[in-house]
């Protein structure tokens, strides 16, 4: 696949977990890539065109987007576990700044904006699995509400100004470059703590079920969606397989041998956590040449190996 050769792209939030992997893959496909972030590029993105600034700075953002056909919007204003549902700063840093971005994209004549939303939070609690894109959206945390609101404004700009877009409702990605300093990404946290002989705290009994997908498969989907045309604009990306945290721990212990992963269960469920989240990926499979390619155990092995060599 090399449909990206010569295509000009900017990745907003390029220093992050998804952004770093996406930047590397776009470059390998011959795209003309520019990164945007609040700090200097990380060590894996050296010598790449870069614009440094805050997402709220319109002038800097305009400079980053200038001359780009494709805009990848990976910037988050919060994380799923944030409990404060009334914090206006979070609203400003996500939704309001996304509206500013859309206005800039409209004026710049951007061909398409690809927005990474949250398949794990926008649907909320449901009894239908795997979850389709047509399922009701009833998020139970401010992160999901902000993601969904940003989705709606992107759709509005398409309706009013014909700004093309793709929204990706992503499940739980894992793999190289994941930052374990943030309170999200249980697989990376478990591996990192194991390597450092530290205890991992788990909210609840470990039976919460999520859909986990290796980052290489994620970025492949994000790239292939650039050329996806037509009326379908919202896609889930996930593995379609639900796994509990306890199952992940057991699978990791099989890989690392007889050593036990140290766990401390906190006997309380967070109100922002849905019990089960498993996404259907049938829609994206029907529209583009994409599927999950990385075996689950291979993906865990690859992640462990990377973290051992880069910790």
């Amino acid at each position: 696949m090399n449909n990206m050769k010569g295509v000009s792209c900017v990745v907003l939030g390029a220093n992050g977990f998804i952004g770093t992997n996406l930047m590397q893959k776009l470059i390998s496909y011959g795209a003309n890539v520019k990164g945007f972030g609040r700090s200097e590029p990380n060590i894996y993105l050296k010598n790449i065109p870069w614009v440094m600034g805050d997402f709220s700075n319109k002038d800097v953002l305009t400079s980053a987007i200038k001359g780009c056909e494709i805009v990848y919007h990976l910037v988050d204003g919060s994380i799923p576990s944030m409990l404060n549902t009334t914090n206006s700063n979070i609203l400003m840093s996500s939704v309001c700044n996304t509206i500013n971005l859309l206005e800039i994209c409209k004026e710049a004549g951007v061909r398409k904006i690809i927005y990474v939303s949250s398949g794990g939070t926008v649907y909320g609690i449901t009894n239908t699995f795997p979850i389709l894109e047509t399922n009701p959206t009833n998020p139970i945390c401010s992160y999901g509400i902000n993601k969904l609101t940003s989705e709606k404004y992107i759709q509005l700009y398409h309706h009013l100004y014909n700004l093309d877009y793709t929204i990706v409702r992503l499940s739980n990605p894992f793999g190289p470059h994941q930052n374990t300093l943030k309170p999200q990404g249980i697989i990376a946290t478990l591996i990192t703590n194991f390597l450092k002989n530290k205890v991992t705290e788990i909210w609840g009994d470990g039976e919460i079920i999520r859909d986990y997908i290796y980052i290489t498969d994620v970025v492949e989907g994000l790239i292939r969606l650039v050329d996806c045309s037509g009326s379908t604009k919202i896609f889930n990306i996930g593995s379609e397989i639900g796994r509990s945290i306890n199952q992940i721990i057991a699978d990791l212990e099989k890989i690392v041998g007889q050593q036990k992963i140290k766990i401390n269960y906190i006997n309380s469920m967070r109100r922002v956590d849905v019990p089960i989240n498993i996404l259907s990926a049938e829609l994206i499979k029907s529209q583009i040449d994409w599927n999950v390619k990385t075996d689950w155990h291979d993906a865990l092995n690859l992640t462990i190996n990377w973290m051992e060599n880069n910790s």
Side-chain angles (χ1 to χ4, degrees):
M1 174 196 170
N2 204 18
N3 66 305
M4 296 302 293
K5 188 173 180 62
V7 177
S8 57
C9 308
V10 61
V11 178
L12 309 178
N15 258 335
F17 166 44
I18 299 173
T20 299
N21 284 278
L22 177 59
M23 292 276 286
Q24 290 177 331
K25 182 61 74 172
L26 285 167
I27 291 165
S28 74
Y29 282 150
N32 295 325
V33 185
K34 187 192 302 181
F36 175 86
R38 287 178 296 180
S39 56
E40 296 286 348
N42 62 54
I43 60 172
Y44 305 99
L45 301 176
K46 293 296 184 183
N47 303 317
I48 294 170
W50 194 268
V51 176
M52 188 173 74
D54 194 90
F55 188 48
S56 63
N57 189 318
K58 292 182 182 180
D59 291 337
V60 177
L61 198 56
T62 300
S63 173
I65 291 167
K66 184 178 180 181
C68 293
E69 303 171 60
I70 308 299
V71 174
Y72 283 99
H73 179 7
L74 311 180
V75 179
D76 282 328
S78 61
I79 57 174
S81 60
M82 279 188 168
L83 295 172
N84 189 349
T85 59
T86 60
N87 191 328
S88 60
N89 291 330
I90 294 175
L91 182 67
M92 284 292 295
S93 64
S94 55
V95 178
C96 295
N97 289 335
T98 292
I99 296 171
N100 290 334
L101 168 65
L102 292 170
E103 192 65 25
I104 294 168
C105 288
K106 180 194 76 172
E107 296 298 323
V110 165
R111 172 154 68 97
K112 177 182 276 192
I113 180 170
I114 298 177
Y115 176 58
V116 178
S117 185
S118 170
T121 63
V122 298
Y123 295 110
I125 298 173
T126 179
N127 295 317
T128 306
F129 303 103
I131 302 170
L132 301 171
E133 290 84 350
T134 52
N135 266 52
T137 49
N138 296 298
I140 59 171
C141 65
S142 60
Y143 179 86
I145 291 170
N146 289 340
K147 283 288 190 182
L148 187 59
T149 305
S150 292
E151 286 187 20
K152 295 298 184 183
Y153 274 106
I154 291 168
Q155 291 171 303
L156 177 63
Y157 266 70
H158 176 66
H159 173 73
L160 294 177
Y161 309 112
N162 204 32
L163 176 61
D164 197 13
Y165 71 94
T166 297
I167 290 168
V168 173
R169 291 176 176 166
L170 182 59
S171 64
N172 293 65
F174 70 98
H177 304 294
Q178 193 157 24
N179 183 1
T180 57
L181 296 178
K182 294 182 178 181
Q184 62 183 130
I186 186 61
I187 293 176
T189 300
L190 285 165
I191 294 170
T192 300
N193 287 346
F194 170 76
L195 293 173
K196 294 181 178 179
N197 198 31
K198 293 172 63 177
V199 176
T200 299
E201 291 189 338
I202 304 294
W203 288 88
D205 59 4
E207 287 304 308
I208 192 169
I209 293 174
R210 292 289 181 269
D211 177 342
Y212 298 91
I213 183 169
Y214 192 58
I215 188 61
T216 299
D217 294 317
V218 173
V219 298
E220 195 66 44
L222 292 175
I223 292 171
R224 290 174 184 264
L225 283 168
V226 166
D227 289 332
C228 184
S229 57
S231 59
T232 304
K233 302 291 185 183
I234 300 177
F235 297 94
N236 291 335
I237 288 185
S239 70
E240 302 186 292
I241 298 172
R243 293 180 171 91
S244 70
I245 296 175
N246 289 333
Q247 182 181 344
I248 294 169
I249 294 167
D251 289 343
L252 286 172
E253 287 181 338
K254 289 176 185 175
I255 293 171
V256 300
Q258 299 302 315
Q259 303 171 74
K260 285 287 185 182
I261 294 174
K262 297 178 180 179
I263 302 295
N264 176 35
Y265 292 96
I266 300 172
N267 295 321
S268 174
M269 284 291 291
R270 299 180 301 186
R271 293 182 66 85
V272 296
D273 287 330
V274 299
I276 304 173
N277 183 270
I278 307 168
L279 301 182
S280 170
E282 292 306 308
L283 183 59
I284 189 172
K285 292 177 188 177
S286 71
Q287 297 290 314
I288 62 173
D289 180 22
W290 178 89
N291 208 332
V292 172
K293 299 272 180 72
T294 315
D295 173 79
W296 167 248
H297 292 95
D298 289 345
L300 291 180
N301 264 308
L302 289 165
T303 305
I304 292 171
N305 292 337
W306 189 88
M307 290 187 170
E308 283 179 326
N309 294 321
N310 293 273
S311 58

